[in-house]
Amino acid sequence: MTDRTKCYLHGLGTWIVSDAASARAALADPRLSSQVLQTSFHLPAAAREEYADLLNILGRWFVMRDGTEHRSARSRVGSLFAPARLRKIHGALEDVIRKSVEEYVLGGGGDAVRGVANVVSARTIALLVGLPNTDVSELHRWARAIADFVAASYRANLAKAAQEAMREIGEALAGSVTARDVWQQAADNDEERLATCSMLLFGGLETTSSLIGMSIWYALQNGLLPRLVKLDEAEDVVERTLSFRPPLGHVARAAATDLEVDGCLIPAGDPVLVSLTGVDPMTVTSPPHLAPAHVVTDRRIGHLAFGFGAHYCIGAALTRLEASLTLRQLALSCPEAKLGPFSWSKNRTYRGLSELTLRVSPPIVRETA
Ligand code: HEM
């Protein structure tokens, strides 16, 4: 008989893997399946029928597949994130980020979550999938609708909004000349294409926006911004932020067979939450008010912010680059920026700042002769 009090959360009906070493082992264990659609989505039967299109596409996201199905779907888009592709889009990415930060500074600063982090993350993902003219707020609306449903998947009204968002994503991608290459590359049929492309849009938005927001906060809290004109120093701040506060708190798995984790016997079919923070994901802690000046960022040990094993984040290099270039651009455009009021989001899965006010000096207007 297993000791359920140790790692079973009765309130949520899920097992929990908390400490970093056990989490790493769990993420590398093929007996913990990523096919969590059945265990996590609890729509009533009638709503399941009504939102079958949404559930069908989400079930094809390769983050929720195992084994060969996962590997072959992932390999179709691997080249979009390869070093060669990142080098190819590096100049365009710098332009997107320069434009976004300059617009923010010219607009007088204000909330950098809305004005910088959301804008950079949306414009970058739009660049990656080939939707450069799509409105930033539209992209975030789609991602939010899907995220809201994934977080509370028993609510039919959220399923309705997510299904509508998914339909709009499909229309935007399939109907765009500029997205055609990525759309064709992603899979051999339209359902799989929509699944992979919508997952890339979703995966690249909220998490990256959180990382950018928190990295700016970290830099300003520690008075580091002027130094971040050097890209390697900006990269270091991004890495410290990832270690200190991973944007995703945990990931979901389901036991594919009876197995033992941390001395607990988990029955086949049970849901498991694997923490990416090294602590119990359900622990209620006050959000940080100060950013620690020293964070151990030993790359040999590494943090779990991007997961581990077969499902390691495909966008990790892109997002690190985006966040570092954004810090560098802020250091160039407004090195004197001061931190104003900020607040943390209450979401335990997607962690970040909901607001981050920066006070920036008015831009210098040079008279032309
Ligand atoms: C700070 C930003 C990001 C964080 C913290 C993050 C975090 C993660 C984590 C923890 C996983 C593992 C999921 C699991 O094991 O179940 C993951 C997977 C994934 N991420 Fe990210 N991610 C970020 C940015 C991005 C970006 C920019 C993209 C795409 C443009 C992306 C696309 C994906 C995809 C497609 C997967 C699934 C990989 C697979 O199943 O093989 N992510 N991410």
Side-chain angles (χ1 to χ4, degrees):
M1 189 68 170
T2 191
D3 176 9
R4 282 197 171 234
T5 55
K6 197 174 145 204
C7 39
Y8 190 76
L9 197 74
H10 284 275
L12 277 184
T14 185
W15 296 87
I16 301 236
V17 180
S18 299
D19 75 88
S22 307
R24 203 173 289 270
L27 293 173
D29 191 332
R31 295 171 303 167
L32 282 173
S33 166
S34 288
Q35 291 185 25
V36 292
L37 200 65
Q38 296 306 325
T39 47
S40 345
F41 292 172
H42 305 291
L43 278 179
R48 277 186 167 259
E49 219 167 281
E50 193 171 351
Y51 302 113
D53 287 351
L54 172 70
L55 299 177
N56 173 36
I57 298 299
L58 290 177
R60 291 169 188 271
W61 279 14
F62 64 72
V63 70
M64 290 198 247
R65 284 169 150 180
D66 296 328
T68 322
E69 275 192 351
H70 162 254
R71 276 194 299 280
S72 69
R74 179 175 168 128
S75 69
R76 293 289 298 242
V77 286
S79 64
L80 293 178
F81 301 91
R85 174 93 197 299
L86 296 188
R87 278 196 297 277
K88 198 170 165 195
I89 63 165
H90 197 280
L93 190 54
E94 277 182 320
D95 288 347
V96 158
I97 291 171
R98 187 181 317 111
K99 180 171 176 260
S100 307
V101 171
E102 282 177 359
E103 281 171 5
Y104 168 76
V105 175
L106 280 168
D111 181 10
V113 171
R114 278 164 168 264
V116 178
N118 283 355
V119 177
V120 168
S121 61
R123 287 182 177 162
T124 302
I125 202 69
L127 176 76
L128 185 93
V129 299
L131 290 177
N133 299 320
T134 311
D135 189 29
V136 163
S137 56
E138 193 79 330
L139 289 166
H140 281 282
R141 184 174 63 76
W142 291 337
R144 179 87 349 249
I146 296 173
D148 286 348
F149 172 64
V150 171
S153 53
Y154 48 90
R155 289 176 52 184
N157 62 328
L158 299 181
K160 187 171 193 283
Q163 181 153 287
E164 184 60 14
M166 193 64 90
R167 193 187 55 72
E168 291 175 26
I169 294 173
E171 278 176 10
L173 286 161
S176 158
V177 178
T178 46
R180 189 181 297 147
D181 287 352
V182 173
W183 183 250
Q184 295 295 335
Q185 174 180 339
D188 291 329
N189 65 67
D190 282 357
E191 277 184 338
E192 294 280 341
R193 287 181 182 127
L194 177 55
T196 292
C197 292
S198 62
M199 183 184 48
L200 295 181
L201 275 177
F202 176 81
L205 277 174
E206 305 296 311
T207 46
T208 303
S209 175
S210 296
L211 176 61
I212 293 173
M214 290 191 290
S215 301
I216 297 172
W217 175 79
Y218 185 97
L220 285 165
Q221 279 256 348
N222 288 300
L224 297 172
L225 191 59
R227 286 165 45 178
L228 305 188
V229 287
K230 293 188 178 160
L231 192 59
D232 58 339
E233 299 225 15
E235 286 166 351
D236 185 50
V237 164
V238 170
E239 218 50 39
R240 285 199 238 170
T241 307
L242 284 164
S243 302
F244 157 64
R245 202 159 173 87
L248 258 184
H250 52 262
V251 293
R253 294 289 186 268
T257 171
D258 291 354
L259 80 158
E260 199 183 314
V261 175
D262 272 353
C264 302
L265 184 66
I266 303 183
D270 269 18
V272 180
L273 281 189
V274 183
S275 171
L276 302 176
T277 63
V279 293
D280 181 336
M282 294 303 136
T283 309
V284 181
T285 47
S286 318
H289 194 70
L290 290 173
H294 302 288
V295 179
V296 181
T297 56
D298 186 339
R299 286 210 178 208
R300 287 165 308 171
I301 308 167
H303 49 68
L304 285 175
F306 295 120
F308 185 71
H311 290 274
Y312 183 80
C313 177
I314 202 168
L318 171 68
T319 208
R320 280 178 161 128
L321 182 62
E322 260 178 275
S324 311
L325 289 174
T326 306
L327 288 181
R328 188 182 66 173
Q329 189 57 50
L330 270 175
L332 289 167
S333 301
C334 51
E336 322 253 284
K338 299 274 174 293
L339 194 57
F342 59 86
S343 57
W344 290 92
S345 144
K346 294 193 171 56
N347 193 316
R348 282 188 202 168
T349 311
Y350 293 94
R351 296 138 41 100
L353 292 146
S354 48
E355 189 192 351
L356 173 67
T357 313
L358 301 193
R359 302 203 171 95
V360 303
S361 319
I364 302 159
V365 181
R366 291 192 179 84
E367 303 258 331
T368 43

